[in-house]
């Protein structure tokens, strides 16, 4: 699983950043993670990247609530956005794992969406 440096987020009270996961959906389109921090609360999401890369209409699909990634799981919104919350009081090592989990979940959703289209 990919570990992404979140140290830039730790010293800031509020921020929005796009993190590079080092993964791609199809060898071209990169899996990017949107990181938001507000009042000690983080949210990491793919911003709907898997749905966009698969070229599907999110309003025509029912997405699972969660996708299992190893012994963890990521959340999926009704619009197909893969996301996880985090908290500043968490260990930095755990927070660094969250964007990688979201990236892996986004890739898994993308692959599942491609299978639906076949």
């Amino acid at each position: 699983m990919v570990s992404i440096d979140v140290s830039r987020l730790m010293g800031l009270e509020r921020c929005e950043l796009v993190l590079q996961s080092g993964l791609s959906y199809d060898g071209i389109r990169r899996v990017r993670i949107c990181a938001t921090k507000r009042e000690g609360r983080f949210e990491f999401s793919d911003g709907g990247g898997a749905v966009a890369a698969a070229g599907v209409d999110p309003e025509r699909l029912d997405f699972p609530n969660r996708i299992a990634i190893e012994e963890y799981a990521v959340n999926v919104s009704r619009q197909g956005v893969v996301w996880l919350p985090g908290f500043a009081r968490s260990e930095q090592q755990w927070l660094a794992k969250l964007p990688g989990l979201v990236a892996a979940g986004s890739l898994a959703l993308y692959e599942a969406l491609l299978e639906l289209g076949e």
Side-chain angles (χ1 to χ4, degrees), residues 6-56:
V6 295
S7 61
R8 295 182 295 167
L9 301 171
M10 298 309 288
L12 303 172
E13 185 63 31
R14 297 174 62 96
C15 68
E16 292 183 19
L17 298 172
V18 175
L19 306 171
Q20 300 298 326
S21 70
L23 302 173
S24 71
Y25 294 109
D26 56 7
I28 299 170
R29 288 176 270 199
R30 303 225 179 260
V31 178
R32 293 182 175 92
I33 304 303
C34 304
T36 304
K37 181 182 180 188
R38 287 190 176 78
E39 300 175 8
R41 181 174 163 79
F42 294 88
E43 183 174 299
F44 300 98
S45 83
D46 74 342
V51 171
V56 298

Side-chain angles (χ1 to χ4, degrees), residues 56-92:
V56 298
D57 181 356
E59 294 183 18
R60 294 183 169 206
L61 297 172
D62 288 325
F63 296 98
N65 292 331
R66 307 189 92 188
I67 296 173
I69 305 296
E70 298 176 8
E71 69 267 22
Y72 305 104
V74 294
N75 301 315
V76 182
S77 75
R78 289 185 202 147
Q79 294 78 31
V81 176
V82 179
W83 67 280
L84 280 174
F87 301 94
R89 65 180 180 267
S90 301
E91 290 183 29
Q92 191 167 344

